[in-house]
Amino acid sequence: MIPSFLADLFRNQSYNPDNFFLIAGPCVIESEELLDEVAGKVSAICKRLEIPYVFKSSYRKANRTSAGSFTGIGDDKALHLLRKTGDKYHLPVTSDIHAHDEAAPAAAFADILQIPAFLCRQTDLLVAAAETGKIVNVKKGQFLNGPSMQFAVDKIKKAGNDKIILTERGTTFGYQDLVVDYRNIPWMQAHGVPVVMDCTHSLQQPNQTSGVTGGNPQLIGTIAKAAIAAGADGLFIETHPNPAVAKSDGANMLRLDLLEGLLEQLVKLRKAVI
């Protein structure tokens, strides 16, 4: 059952309340044309499949491996494009923030503020996000387990905000790989919040000597199906028409034309396990 704060978020959408919800879009805002293509196609698919949908794209990428990596088209321009896309397709929108002083400016445009996994223990960041009154989605650190995310939940609640989502995105395995421990889904649901599976970042292969993160996008369907079977409330899937030319996380994103078939399978699986 979708909690009331998410039901309110999806009030402009017609959806099956027994479905998982989807957070999806290109990793970073590259252009208005890209946002329009992805939001238009994904929203049409989700409408047909009765999946509640949040459009995601980062207005700025601060956590890059290489100093030469693309970080964005400019904060103000990107945030306005994010909101414009949401308004055009009647969708809630989300982006990540990286510092406490980004929370209020981003909250003027986004419905959900996303906290990157590496920053999930940053108290001032969590409190600043909570104080905006927006939904706060905290990605579980690659170095933490599900039970330890109770402390992030507590920080946000103590700041006066109980609109919280937690996202599983894999656990560090060695130096250049991640693994997914699906026990983290029920462990984090035990904190009384909806839990999302990040099906793309959990397949990253970080810390490559090239300075560009690698990935295993061919396994996105495997991660997503296992997450639905384990009872995840939502899925996070970054998608791009041509990941090979994407300016961020191209090695992890699902090609846009593959999304519809995957979501059709996942809806069927959801019906089988609820």
Side-chain angles (χ1 to χ4, degrees):
M1 179 66 68
I2 290 177
S4 59
F5 70 85
L6 285 180
D8 184 59
L9 187 72
F10 298 129
R11 63 188 178 279
N12 294 322
Q13 300 182 38
S14 177
Y15 62 90
N16 180 350
D18 291 327
N19 255 338
F20 56 90
F21 63 94
L22 178 68
I23 302 173
C27 179
V28 66
I29 296 171
E30 301 176 19
S31 67
E32 183 172 1
E33 292 74 21
L34 174 64
L35 299 194
D36 197 57
E37 179 179 1
V38 175
K41 290 183 178 179
V42 179
S43 62
I45 294 168
C46 288
K47 183 176 181 180
R48 180 176 70 81
L49 296 176
E50 299 183 305
I51 299 171
Y53 174 41
V54 178
F55 180 76
K56 183 270 170 184
S57 196
S58 297
Y59 73 92
R60 188 201 321 162
K61 298 300 292 185
N63 49 343
R64 313 299 293 142
T65 300
S66 170
S69 295
F70 178 80
T71 58
I73 60 174
D75 292 359
D76 188 66
K77 180 179 180 181
L79 283 167
H80 277 88
L81 286 178
L82 181 68
R83 186 71 263 163
K84 180 179 180 181
T85 302
D87 291 345
K88 179 176 181 178
Y89 293 100
H90 308 291
L91 299 171
V93 298
T94 184
S95 180
D96 43 2
I97 59 173
H98 306 87
H100 69 278
D101 56 357
E102 294 178 28
F109 297 89
D111 301 285
I112 301 174
L113 298 180
Q114 178 178 290
I115 308 300
F118 281 130
L119 302 176
C120 68
R121 298 178 70 242
Q122 295 295 110
T123 301
D124 61 345
L125 177 59
L126 293 174
V127 170
E131 288 177 343
T132 67
K134 295 300 179 80
I135 298 169
V136 183
N137 177 21
V138 188
K139 290 195 173 185
K140 180 188 72 63
Q142 301 93 322
F143 42 85
L144 296 174
N145 62 12
S148 64
M149 289 300 290
Q150 178 68 59
F151 299 106
V153 171
D154 289 345
K155 289 175 184 179
I156 295 168
K157 286 185 175 180
K158 287 179 180 178
N161 190 336
D162 60 1
K163 296 181 290 186
I164 305 164
I165 300 170
L166 294 179
T167 294
E168 164 63 25
R169 54 95 75 231
T171 302
T172 299
F173 184 72
Y175 289 105
Q176 295 175 325
D177 208 355
L178 299 168
V179 293
V180 176
D181 181 351
Y182 287 93
R183 295 177 298 176
N184 284 319
I185 293 175
W187 277 342
M188 292 196 291
Q189 287 171 331
H191 303 322
V193 300
V195 173
V196 171
M197 180 72 231
D198 184 338
C199 303
T200 44
H201 289 94
S202 61
L203 289 166
Q204 283 183 333
Q205 292 179 313
N207 306 319
Q208 301 295 312
T209 56
S210 65
V212 178
T213 297
N216 289 292
Q218 71 276 11
L219 295 174
I220 291 170
T222 301
I223 296 292
K225 291 171 189 175
I228 292 299
D233 301 288
L235 298 176
F236 179 107
I237 301 175
E238 288 190 335
T239 183
H240 192 285
N242 185 1
V245 301
K247 295 184 177 181
S248 177
D249 276 1
N252 312 302
M253 283 192 281
L254 183 68
R255 207 173 71 225
L256 182 58
D257 63 357
L258 299 177
L259 182 63
E260 185 168 15
L262 175 59
L263 291 177
E264 289 174 344
Q265 294 177 32
L266 295 171
V267 167
K268 292 177 183 178
L269 180 59
R270 175 76 169 193
K271 289 179 181 177
V273 299
I274 60 173

PDB file of all heavy atoms in Angstrom, residues 158-192:
ATOM      1  N   LYS A 158      13.423  13.769  13.426  1.00  0.00           N
ATOM      2  CA  LYS A 158      13.680  14.742  14.491  1.00  0.00           C
ATOM      3  C   LYS A 158      13.699  16.170  13.972  1.00  0.00           C
ATOM      4  O   LYS A 158      13.503  17.123  14.732  1.00  0.00           O
ATOM      5  CB  LYS A 158      14.997  14.407  15.188  1.00  0.00           C
ATOM      6  CG  LYS A 158      14.905  13.182  16.089  1.00  0.00           C
ATOM      7  CD  LYS A 158      16.235  12.857  16.755  1.00  0.00           C
ATOM      8  CE  LYS A 158      16.124  11.639  17.643  1.00  0.00           C
ATOM      9  NZ  LYS A 158      17.423  11.274  18.267  1.00  0.00           N
ATOM     10  N   ALA A 159      13.942  16.325  12.671  1.00  0.00           N
ATOM     11  CA  ALA A 159      13.883  17.643  12.042  1.00  0.00           C
ATOM     12  C   ALA A 159      12.460  18.012  11.638  1.00  0.00           C
ATOM     13  O   ALA A 159      12.245  19.062  11.018  1.00  0.00           O
ATOM     14  CB  ALA A 159      14.805  17.689  10.826  1.00  0.00           C
ATOM     15  N   GLY A 160      11.489  17.147  11.971  1.00  0.00           N
ATOM     16  CA  GLY A 160      10.083  17.469  11.754  1.00  0.00           C
ATOM     17  C   GLY A 160       9.488  16.982  10.456  1.00  0.00           C
ATOM     18  O   GLY A 160       8.438  17.470  10.032  1.00  0.00           O
ATOM     19  N   ASN A 161      10.116  15.997   9.832  1.00  0.00           N
ATOM     20  CA  ASN A 161       9.634  15.518   8.536  1.00  0.00           C
ATOM     21  C   ASN A 161       9.552  13.994   8.579  1.00  0.00           C
ATOM     22  O   ASN A 161      10.542  13.321   8.860  1.00  0.00           O
ATOM     23  CB  ASN A 161      10.596  15.965   7.426  1.00  0.00           C
ATOM     24  CG  ASN A 161      10.055  15.711   6.028  1.00  0.00           C
ATOM     25  OD1 ASN A 161       9.207  14.850   5.823  1.00  0.00           O
ATOM     26  ND2 ASN A 161      10.558  16.461   5.064  1.00  0.00           N
ATOM     27  N   ASP A 162       8.361  13.442   8.324  1.00  0.00           N
ATOM     28  CA  ASP A 162       8.223  11.985   8.303  1.00  0.00           C
ATOM     29  C   ASP A 162       7.946  11.462   6.900  1.00  0.00           C
ATOM     30  O   ASP A 162       7.524  10.306   6.728  1.00  0.00           O
ATOM     31  CB  ASP A 162       7.138  11.522   9.276  1.00  0.00           C
ATOM     32  CG  ASP A 162       5.768  12.095   8.950  1.00  0.00           C
ATOM     33  OD1 ASP A 162       5.637  12.847   7.957  1.00  0.00           O
ATOM     34  OD2 ASP A 162       4.809  11.782   9.703  1.00  0.00           O
ATOM     35  N   LYS A 163       8.196  12.296   5.886  1.00  0.00           N
ATOM     36  CA  LYS A 163       8.003  11.879   4.479  1.00  0.00           C
ATOM     37  C   LYS A 163       9.352  11.370   3.959  1.00  0.00           C
ATOM     38  O   LYS A 163      10.144  12.126   3.397  1.00  0.00           O
ATOM     39  CB  LYS A 163       7.475  13.043   3.655  1.00  0.00           C
ATOM     40  CG  LYS A 163       6.094  13.505   4.098  1.00  0.00           C
ATOM     41  CD  LYS A 163       5.557  14.641   3.262  1.00  0.00           C
ATOM     42  CE  LYS A 163       6.285  15.934   3.492  1.00  0.00           C
ATOM     43  NZ  LYS A 163       5.664  17.078   2.770  1.00  0.00           N
ATOM     44  N   ILE A 164       9.602  10.094   4.172  1.00  0.00           N
ATOM     45  CA  ILE A 164      10.929   9.521   3.960  1.00  0.00           C
ATOM     46  C   ILE A 164      10.839   8.277   3.079  1.00  0.00           C
ATOM     47  O   ILE A 164       9.948   7.433   3.261  1.00  0.00           O
ATOM     48  CB  ILE A 164      11.571   9.140   5.306  1.00  0.00           C
ATOM     49  CG1 ILE A 164      11.602  10.353   6.250  1.00  0.00           C
ATOM     50  CG2 ILE A 164      12.977   8.566   5.104  1.00  0.00           C
ATOM     51  CD1 ILE A 164      11.858   9.975   7.698  1.00  0.00           C
ATOM     52  N   ILE A 165      11.768   8.162   2.153  1.00  0.00           N
ATOM     53  CA  ILE A 165      11.969   6.959   1.342  1.00  0.00           C
ATOM     54  C   ILE A 165      13.417   6.526   1.546  1.00  0.00           C
ATOM     55  O   ILE A 165      14.312   7.367   1.652  1.00  0.00           O
ATOM     56  CB  ILE A 165      11.736   7.242  -0.161  1.00  0.00           C
ATOM     57  CG1 ILE A 165      10.309   7.730  -0.418  1.00  0.00           C
ATOM     58  CG2 ILE A 165      12.046   6.009  -1.008  1.00  0.00           C
ATOM     59  CD1 ILE A 165      10.090   8.256  -1.831  1.00  0.00           C
ATOM     60  N   LEU A 166      13.657   5.228   1.608  1.00  0.00           N
ATOM     61  CA  LEU A 166      15.012   4.701   1.613  1.00  0.00           C
ATOM     62  C   LEU A 166      15.241   3.895   0.339  1.00  0.00           C
ATOM     63  O   LEU A 166      14.339   3.201  -0.131  1.00  0.00           O
ATOM     64  CB  LEU A 166      15.257   3.803   2.832  1.00  0.00           C
ATOM     65  CG  LEU A 166      15.236   4.491   4.199  1.00  0.00           C
ATOM     66  CD1 LEU A 166      15.468   3.459   5.307  1.00  0.00           C
ATOM     67  CD2 LEU A 166      16.266   5.605   4.292  1.00  0.00           C
ATOM     68  N   THR A 167      16.437   3.990  -0.203  1.00  0.00           N
ATOM     69  CA  THR A 167      16.767   3.300  -1.452  1.00  0.00           C
ATOM     70  C   THR A 167      17.983   2.408  -1.280  1.00  0.00           C
ATOM     71  O   THR A 167      19.030   2.858  -0.818  1.00  0.00           O
ATOM     72  CB  THR A 167      17.015   4.316  -2.580  1.00  0.00           C
ATOM     73  OG1 THR A 167      15.792   5.002  -2.870  1.00  0.00           O
ATOM     74  CG2 THR A 167      17.499   3.634  -3.853  1.00  0.00           C
ATOM     75  N   GLU A 168      17.828   1.161  -1.670  1.00  0.00           N
ATOM     76  CA  GLU A 168      18.926   0.201  -1.694  1.00  0.00           C
ATOM     77  C   GLU A 168      19.667   0.340  -3.028  1.00  0.00           C
ATOM     78  O   GLU A 168      19.038   0.378  -4.086  1.00  0.00           O
ATOM     79  CB  GLU A 168      18.375  -1.219  -1.531  1.00  0.00           C
ATOM     80  CG  GLU A 168      19.319  -2.339  -1.916  1.00  0.00           C
ATOM     81  CD  GLU A 168      20.584  -2.405  -1.070  1.00  0.00           C
ATOM     82  OE1 GLU A 168      20.563  -1.928   0.092  1.00  0.00           O
ATOM     83  OE2 GLU A 168      21.593  -2.922  -1.563  1.00  0.00           O
ATOM     84  N   ARG A 169      21.006   0.437  -2.974  1.00  0.00           N
ATOM     85  CA  ARG A 169      21.760   0.597  -4.222  1.00  0.00           C
ATOM     86  C   ARG A 169      23.052  -0.215  -4.232  1.00  0.00           C
ATOM     87  O   ARG A 169      24.015   0.128  -4.906  1.00  0.00           O
ATOM     88  CB  ARG A 169      22.037   2.076  -4.507  1.00  0.00           C
ATOM     89  CG  ARG A 169      22.709   2.843  -3.403  1.00  0.00           C
ATOM     90  CD  ARG A 169      24.184   2.904  -3.549  1.00  0.00           C
ATOM     91  NE  ARG A 169      24.596   3.819  -4.585  1.00  0.00           N
ATOM     92  CZ  ARG A 169      25.435   3.517  -5.562  1.00  0.00           C
ATOM     93  NH1 ARG A 169      25.990   2.331  -5.626  1.00  0.00           N
ATOM     94  NH2 ARG A 169      25.780   4.415  -6.473  1.00  0.00           N
ATOM     95  N   GLY A 170      23.039  -1.319  -3.468  1.00  0.00           N
ATOM     96  CA  GLY A 170      24.181  -2.216  -3.497  1.00  0.00           C
ATOM     97  C   GLY A 170      25.178  -1.935  -2.389  1.00  0.00           C
ATOM     98  O   GLY A 170      25.143  -0.896  -1.728  1.00  0.00           O
ATOM     99  N   THR A 171      26.071  -2.888  -2.191  1.00  0.00           N
ATOM    100  CA  THR A 171      27.084  -2.833  -1.144  1.00  0.00           C
ATOM    101  C   THR A 171      28.458  -3.051  -1.766  1.00  0.00           C
ATOM    102  O   THR A 171      28.627  -3.916  -2.633  1.00  0.00           O
ATOM    103  CB  THR A 171      26.814  -3.923  -0.089  1.00  0.00           C
ATOM    104  OG1 THR A 171      25.502  -3.720   0.455  1.00  0.00           O
ATOM    105  CG2 THR A 171      27.836  -3.877   1.030  1.00  0.00           C
ATOM    106  N   THR A 172      29.431  -2.280  -1.324  1.00  0.00           N
ATOM    107  CA  THR A 172      30.784  -2.392  -1.852  1.00  0.00           C
ATOM    108  C   THR A 172      31.314  -3.818  -1.708  1.00  0.00           C
ATOM    109  O   THR A 172      31.221  -4.423  -0.646  1.00  0.00           O
ATOM    110  CB  THR A 172      31.724  -1.421  -1.124  1.00  0.00           C
ATOM    111  OG1 THR A 172      31.259  -0.083  -1.342  1.00  0.00           O
ATOM    112  CG2 THR A 172      33.147  -1.543  -1.649  1.00  0.00           C
ATOM    113  N   PHE A 173      31.867  -4.331  -2.797  1.00  0.00           N
ATOM    114  CA  PHE A 173      32.429  -5.676  -2.821  1.00  0.00           C
ATOM    115  C   PHE A 173      33.821  -5.573  -3.433  1.00  0.00           C
ATOM    116  O   PHE A 173      33.961  -5.394  -4.640  1.00  0.00           O
ATOM    117  CB  PHE A 173      31.537  -6.607  -3.639  1.00  0.00           C
ATOM    118  CG  PHE A 173      31.984  -8.041  -3.647  1.00  0.00           C
ATOM    119  CD1 PHE A 173      31.857  -8.826  -2.518  1.00  0.00           C
ATOM    120  CD2 PHE A 173      32.516  -8.604  -4.801  1.00  0.00           C
ATOM    121  CE1 PHE A 173      32.259 -10.160  -2.530  1.00  0.00           C
ATOM    122  CE2 PHE A 173      32.928  -9.931  -4.820  1.00  0.00           C
ATOM    123  CZ  PHE A 173      32.794 -10.707  -3.687  1.00  0.00           C
ATOM    124  N   GLY A 174      34.841  -5.621  -2.601  1.00  0.00           N
ATOM    125  CA  GLY A 174      36.187  -5.388  -3.106  1.00  0.00           C
ATOM    126  C   GLY A 174      36.368  -3.922  -3.456  1.00  0.00           C
ATOM    127  O   GLY A 174      35.768  -3.039  -2.856  1.00  0.00           O
ATOM    128  N   TYR A 175      37.192  -3.655  -4.442  1.00  0.00           N
ATOM    129  CA  TYR A 175      37.492  -2.282  -4.820  1.00  0.00           C
ATOM    130  C   TYR A 175      36.667  -1.782  -5.999  1.00  0.00           C
ATOM    131  O   TYR A 175      36.431  -0.584  -6.132  1.00  0.00           O
ATOM    132  CB  TYR A 175      38.982  -2.139  -5.180  1.00  0.00           C
ATOM    133  CG  TYR A 175      39.907  -2.241  -3.997  1.00  0.00           C
ATOM    134  CD1 TYR A 175      40.653  -3.384  -3.786  1.00  0.00           C
ATOM    135  CD2 TYR A 175      40.016  -1.208  -3.074  1.00  0.00           C
ATOM    136  CE1 TYR A 175      41.510  -3.494  -2.700  1.00  0.00           C
ATOM    137  CE2 TYR A 175      40.864  -1.306  -1.983  1.00  0.00           C
ATOM    138  CZ  TYR A 175      41.616  -2.446  -1.797  1.00  0.00           C
ATOM    139  OH  TYR A 175      42.444  -2.547  -0.717  1.00  0.00           O
ATOM    140  N   GLN A 176      36.233  -2.668  -6.877  1.00  0.00           N
ATOM    141  CA  GLN A 176      35.632  -2.221  -8.131  1.00  0.00           C
ATOM    142  C   GLN A 176      34.323  -2.926  -8.466  1.00  0.00           C
ATOM    143  O   GLN A 176      34.012  -3.150  -9.637  1.00  0.00           O
ATOM    144  CB  GLN A 176      36.636  -2.419  -9.278  1.00  0.00           C
ATOM    145  CG  GLN A 176      37.871  -1.539  -9.122  1.00  0.00           C
ATOM    146  CD  GLN A 176      38.925  -1.818 -10.181  1.00  0.00           C
ATOM    147  OE1 GLN A 176      39.117  -2.942 -10.607  1.00  0.00           O
ATOM    148  NE2 GLN A 176      39.603  -0.767 -10.626  1.00  0.00           N
ATOM    149  N   ASP A 177      33.559  -3.260  -7.441  1.00  0.00           N
ATOM    150  CA  ASP A 177      32.296  -3.937  -7.719  1.00  0.00           C
ATOM    151  C   ASP A 177      31.327  -3.713  -6.568  1.00  0.00           C
ATOM    152  O   ASP A 177      31.715  -3.271  -5.480  1.00  0.00           O
ATOM    153  CB  ASP A 177      32.525  -5.440  -7.930  1.00  0.00           C
ATOM    154  CG  ASP A 177      31.480  -6.074  -8.843  1.00  0.00           C
ATOM    155  OD1 ASP A 177      30.524  -5.372  -9.229  1.00  0.00           O
ATOM    156  OD2 ASP A 177      31.625  -7.265  -9.152  1.00  0.00           O
ATOM    157  N   LEU A 178      30.054  -4.027  -6.823  1.00  0.00           N
ATOM    158  CA  LEU A 178      28.988  -3.965  -5.835  1.00  0.00           C
ATOM    159  C   LEU A 178      28.208  -5.266  -5.878  1.00  0.00           C
ATOM    160  O   LEU A 178      28.149  -5.932  -6.922  1.00  0.00           O
ATOM    161  CB  LEU A 178      28.027  -2.796  -6.127  1.00  0.00           C
ATOM    162  CG  LEU A 178      28.597  -1.378  -6.107  1.00  0.00           C
ATOM    163  CD1 LEU A 178      27.582  -0.415  -6.709  1.00  0.00           C
ATOM    164  CD2 LEU A 178      28.941  -0.959  -4.698  1.00  0.00           C
ATOM    165  N   VAL A 179      27.595  -5.621  -4.768  1.00  0.00           N
ATOM    166  CA  VAL A 179      26.650  -6.731  -4.730  1.00  0.00           C
ATOM    167  C   VAL A 179      25.378  -6.237  -4.044  1.00  0.00           C
ATOM    168  O   VAL A 179      25.414  -5.275  -3.274  1.00  0.00           O
ATOM    169  CB  VAL A 179      27.207  -7.960  -3.977  1.00  0.00           C
ATOM    170  CG1 VAL A 179      28.374  -8.565  -4.731  1.00  0.00           C
ATOM    171  CG2 VAL A 179      27.616  -7.601  -2.559  1.00  0.00           C
ATOM    172  N   VAL A 180      24.260  -6.903  -4.322  1.00  0.00           N
ATOM    173  CA  VAL A 180      22.989  -6.533  -3.698  1.00  0.00           C
ATOM    174  C   VAL A 180      22.600  -7.595  -2.685  1.00  0.00           C
ATOM    175  O   VAL A 180      22.521  -8.783  -3.010  1.00  0.00           O
ATOM    176  CB  VAL A 180      21.880  -6.380  -4.757  1.00  0.00           C
ATOM    177  CG1 VAL A 180      20.539  -6.078  -4.066  1.00  0.00           C
ATOM    178  CG2 VAL A 180      22.223  -5.273  -5.736  1.00  0.00           C
ATOM    179  N   ASP A 181      22.371  -7.162  -1.470  1.00  0.00           N
ATOM    180  CA  ASP A 181      21.874  -8.027  -0.401  1.00  0.00           C
ATOM    181  C   ASP A 181      20.390  -7.695  -0.231  1.00  0.00           C
ATOM    182  O   ASP A 181      20.036  -6.660   0.339  1.00  0.00           O
ATOM    183  CB  ASP A 181      22.652  -7.750   0.888  1.00  0.00           C
ATOM    184  CG  ASP A 181      22.214  -8.639   2.044  1.00  0.00           C
ATOM    185  OD1 ASP A 181      21.195  -9.345   1.912  1.00  0.00           O
ATOM    186  OD2 ASP A 181      22.893  -8.615   3.092  1.00  0.00           O
ATOM    187  N   TYR A 182      19.532  -8.574  -0.719  1.00  0.00           N
ATOM    188  CA  TYR A 182      18.097  -8.286  -0.733  1.00  0.00           C
ATOM    189  C   TYR A 182      17.475  -8.324   0.656  1.00  0.00           C
ATOM    190  O   TYR A 182      16.321  -7.914   0.823  1.00  0.00           O
ATOM    191  CB  TYR A 182      17.375  -9.240  -1.692  1.00  0.00           C
ATOM    192  CG  TYR A 182      17.668  -8.891  -3.132  1.00  0.00           C
ATOM    193  CD1 TYR A 182      18.706  -9.509  -3.815  1.00  0.00           C
ATOM    194  CD2 TYR A 182      16.940  -7.913  -3.780  1.00  0.00           C
ATOM    195  CE1 TYR A 182      18.999  -9.161  -5.119  1.00  0.00           C
ATOM    196  CE2 TYR A 182      17.221  -7.558  -5.090  1.00  0.00           C
ATOM    197  CZ  TYR A 182      18.250  -8.186  -5.756  1.00  0.00           C
ATOM    198  OH  TYR A 182      18.535  -7.825  -7.043  1.00  0.00           O
ATOM    199  N   ARG A 183      18.228  -8.765   1.667  1.00  0.00           N
ATOM    200  CA  ARG A 183      17.720  -8.655   3.035  1.00  0.00           C
ATOM    201  C   ARG A 183      17.519  -7.193   3.418  1.00  0.00           C
ATOM    202  O   ARG A 183      16.697  -6.877   4.302  1.00  0.00           O
ATOM    203  CB  ARG A 183      18.703  -9.312   4.007  1.00  0.00           C
ATOM    204  CG  ARG A 183      18.875 -10.812   3.830  1.00  0.00           C
ATOM    205  CD  ARG A 183      19.925 -11.370   4.787  1.00  0.00           C
ATOM    206  NE  ARG A 183      21.243 -10.792   4.539  1.00  0.00           N
ATOM    207  CZ  ARG A 183      22.316 -11.069   5.294  1.00  0.00           C
ATOM    208  NH1 ARG A 183      22.224 -11.878   6.330  1.00  0.00           N
ATOM    209  NH2 ARG A 183      23.491 -10.509   5.015  1.00  0.00           N
ATOM    210  N   ASN A 184      18.237  -6.295   2.754  1.00  0.00           N
ATOM    211  CA  ASN A 184      18.119  -4.881   3.097  1.00  0.00           C
ATOM    212  C   ASN A 184      16.743  -4.313   2.788  1.00  0.00           C
ATOM    213  O   ASN A 184      16.348  -3.302   3.395  1.00  0.00           O
ATOM    214  CB  ASN A 184      19.191  -4.077   2.359  1.00  0.00           C
ATOM    215  CG  ASN A 184      20.561  -4.252   2.979  1.00  0.00           C
ATOM    216  OD1 ASN A 184      20.698  -4.267   4.195  1.00  0.00           O
ATOM    217  ND2 ASN A 184      21.579  -4.398   2.146  1.00  0.00           N
ATOM    218  N   ILE A 185      16.006  -4.930   1.869  1.00  0.00           N
ATOM    219  CA  ILE A 185      14.663  -4.418   1.565  1.00  0.00           C
ATOM    220  C   ILE A 185      13.737  -4.572   2.770  1.00  0.00           C
ATOM    221  O   ILE A 185      13.200  -3.569   3.274  1.00  0.00           O
ATOM    222  CB  ILE A 185      14.097  -5.068   0.283  1.00  0.00           C
ATOM    223  CG1 ILE A 185      14.919  -4.598  -0.927  1.00  0.00           C
ATOM    224  CG2 ILE A 185      12.617  -4.727   0.109  1.00  0.00           C
ATOM    225  CD1 ILE A 185      14.547  -5.261  -2.235  1.00  0.00           C
ATOM    226  N   PRO A 186      13.518  -5.778   3.297  1.00  0.00           N
ATOM    227  CA  PRO A 186      12.664  -5.854   4.500  1.00  0.00           C
ATOM    228  C   PRO A 186      13.290  -5.208   5.727  1.00  0.00           C
ATOM    229  O   PRO A 186      12.572  -4.664   6.579  1.00  0.00           O
ATOM    230  CB  PRO A 186      12.466  -7.366   4.699  1.00  0.00           C
ATOM    231  CG  PRO A 186      13.595  -8.013   3.971  1.00  0.00           C
ATOM    232  CD  PRO A 186      13.873  -7.125   2.803  1.00  0.00           C
ATOM    233  N   TRP A 187      14.596  -5.237   5.836  1.00  0.00           N
ATOM    234  CA  TRP A 187      15.245  -4.578   6.978  1.00  0.00           C
ATOM    235  C   TRP A 187      14.929  -3.084   6.992  1.00  0.00           C
ATOM    236  O   TRP A 187      14.650  -2.509   8.044  1.00  0.00           O
ATOM    237  CB  TRP A 187      16.754  -4.792   6.912  1.00  0.00           C
ATOM    238  CG  TRP A 187      17.227  -6.093   7.467  1.00  0.00           C
ATOM    239  CD1 TRP A 187      16.551  -6.942   8.304  1.00  0.00           C
ATOM    240  CD2 TRP A 187      18.498  -6.712   7.227  1.00  0.00           C
ATOM    241  NE1 TRP A 187      17.328  -8.041   8.599  1.00  0.00           N
ATOM    242  CE2 TRP A 187      18.523  -7.922   7.954  1.00  0.00           C
ATOM    243  CE3 TRP A 187      19.620  -6.356   6.461  1.00  0.00           C
ATOM    244  CZ2 TRP A 187      19.621  -8.777   7.944  1.00  0.00           C
ATOM    245  CZ3 TRP A 187      20.710  -7.208   6.450  1.00  0.00           C
ATOM    246  CH2 TRP A 187      20.717  -8.409   7.189  1.00  0.00           C
ATOM    247  N   MET A 188      14.981  -2.437   5.833  1.00  0.00           N
ATOM    248  CA  MET A 188      14.701  -0.995   5.797  1.00  0.00           C
ATOM    249  C   MET A 188      13.206  -0.718   5.871  1.00  0.00           C
ATOM    250  O   MET A 188      12.791   0.306   6.434  1.00  0.00           O
ATOM    251  CB  MET A 188      15.338  -0.366   4.562  1.00  0.00           C
ATOM    252  CG  MET A 188      16.855  -0.356   4.626  1.00  0.00           C
ATOM    253  SD  MET A 188      17.675   0.753   3.444  1.00  0.00           S
ATOM    254  CE  MET A 188      17.319  -0.059   1.893  1.00  0.00           C
ATOM    255  N   GLN A 189      12.367  -1.593   5.340  1.00  0.00           N
ATOM    256  CA  GLN A 189      10.923  -1.427   5.504  1.00  0.00           C
ATOM    257  C   GLN A 189      10.523  -1.488   6.975  1.00  0.00           C
ATOM    258  O   GLN A 189       9.536  -0.859   7.375  1.00  0.00           O
ATOM    259  CB  GLN A 189      10.180  -2.505   4.707  1.00  0.00           C
ATOM    260  CG  GLN A 189      10.218  -2.269   3.201  1.00  0.00           C
ATOM    261  CD  GLN A 189       9.672  -3.441   2.405  1.00  0.00           C
ATOM    262  OE1 GLN A 189       9.760  -4.596   2.846  1.00  0.00           O
ATOM    263  NE2 GLN A 189       9.124  -3.167   1.236  1.00  0.00           N
ATOM    264  N   ALA A 190      11.315  -2.192   7.772  1.00  0.00           N
ATOM    265  CA  ALA A 190      11.033  -2.277   9.208  1.00  0.00           C
ATOM    266  C   ALA A 190      11.167  -0.927   9.903  1.00  0.00           C
ATOM    267  O   ALA A 190      10.681  -0.754  11.027  1.00  0.00           O
ATOM    268  CB  ALA A 190      11.971  -3.296   9.868  1.00  0.00           C
ATOM    269  N   HIS A 191      11.802   0.051   9.237  1.00  0.00           N
ATOM    270  CA  HIS A 191      11.894   1.407   9.783  1.00  0.00           C
ATOM    271  C   HIS A 191      10.616   2.206   9.540  1.00  0.00           C
ATOM    272  O   HIS A 191      10.543   3.378   9.919  1.00  0.00           O
ATOM    273  CB  HIS A 191      13.074   2.148   9.152  1.00  0.00           C
ATOM    274  CG  HIS A 191      14.402   1.460   9.320  1.00  0.00           C
ATOM    275  ND1 HIS A 191      14.763   0.799  10.468  1.00  0.00           N
ATOM    276  CD2 HIS A 191      15.462   1.347   8.474  1.00  0.00           C
ATOM    277  CE1 HIS A 191      15.975   0.293  10.323  1.00  0.00           C
ATOM    278  NE2 HIS A 191      16.428   0.613   9.129  1.00  0.00           N
ATOM    279  N   GLY A 192       9.618   1.576   8.895  1.00  0.00           N
ATOM    280  CA  GLY A 192       8.331   2.227   8.681  1.00  0.00           C
ATOM    281  C   GLY A 192       8.297   3.160   7.487  1.00  0.00           C
ATOM    282  O   GLY A 192       7.492   4.101   7.464  1.00  0.00           O
TER     283      GLY A 192
END
